[in-house]
Amino acid sequence: MATARPVVSVYNFENPSEKAGTVPMPAVLTSPLRPDLVREVHKNMSKNTRQAYAVKQKAGYDTAAESWGTGRAVARIPRAPGGGTHRAGQATFGNQARRGGMYNP
């Protein structure tokens, strides 16, 4: 013998106070709640409000560095331009250089 399902009221779109009819409630809405599923859904939905944290995409690439080329007895990595500061002539852009870019941000 089939069990009776609860019914849901359907209202008229044009006139919300007017009832258009009823339909049986879907069986999935009458099933018991599974705590493991509720926990999983809540855990994953709460991840949508986390604050992002990561390395800036352009970090380490904020100078107009160029390689000095060969013939100077230094590595052929791009070097910071200018003079009169400690930064001038330092290697940049490479993931092995201080203040250079990260390998795979």
Side-chain angles (χ1 to χ4, degrees), residues 60-61 63-81 87-101:
Y61 297 94
T63 66
E66 290 183 358
S67 175
W68 288 351
T70 59
R72 292 198 184 205
V74 293
R76 293 179 293 184
I77 190 167
R79 297 182 179 274
R87 182 70 175 137
Q90 287 184 350
T92 60
F93 295 178
N95 57 347
Q96 78 278 19
R98 180 173 171 262
R99 295 194 56 182

Side-chain angles (χ1 to χ4, degrees), residues 46-56:
S46 67
K47 292 177 182 179
N48 292 330
T49 59
R50 292 182 299 180
Q51 182 170 347
Y53 68 96
V55 176
K56 182 180 167 186

Side-chain angles (χ1 to χ4, degrees), residues 13-26:
F13 181 75
E14 304 297 330
N15 186 5
S17 62
E18 181 183 324
K19 192 171 170 182
T22 59
V23 294
M25 183 180 286

Side-chain angles (χ1 to χ4, degrees), residues 9-59:
S9 299
V10 179
Y11 291 91
N12 189 351
F13 181 75
E14 304 297 330
N15 186 5
S17 62
E18 181 183 324
K19 192 171 170 182
T22 59
V23 294
M25 183 180 286
V28 69
L29 295 179
T30 60
S31 62
L33 293 177
R34 286 180 45 193
D36 59 327
L37 289 181
V38 172
R39 191 176 305 114
E40 184 74 15
V41 169
H42 180 270
K43 179 180 74 172
N44 289 326
M45 286 181 68
S46 67
K47 292 177 182 179
N48 292 330
T49 59
R50 292 182 299 180
Q51 182 170 347
Y53 68 96
V55 176
K56 182 180 167 186
Q57 191 71 21
K58 298 286 185 180

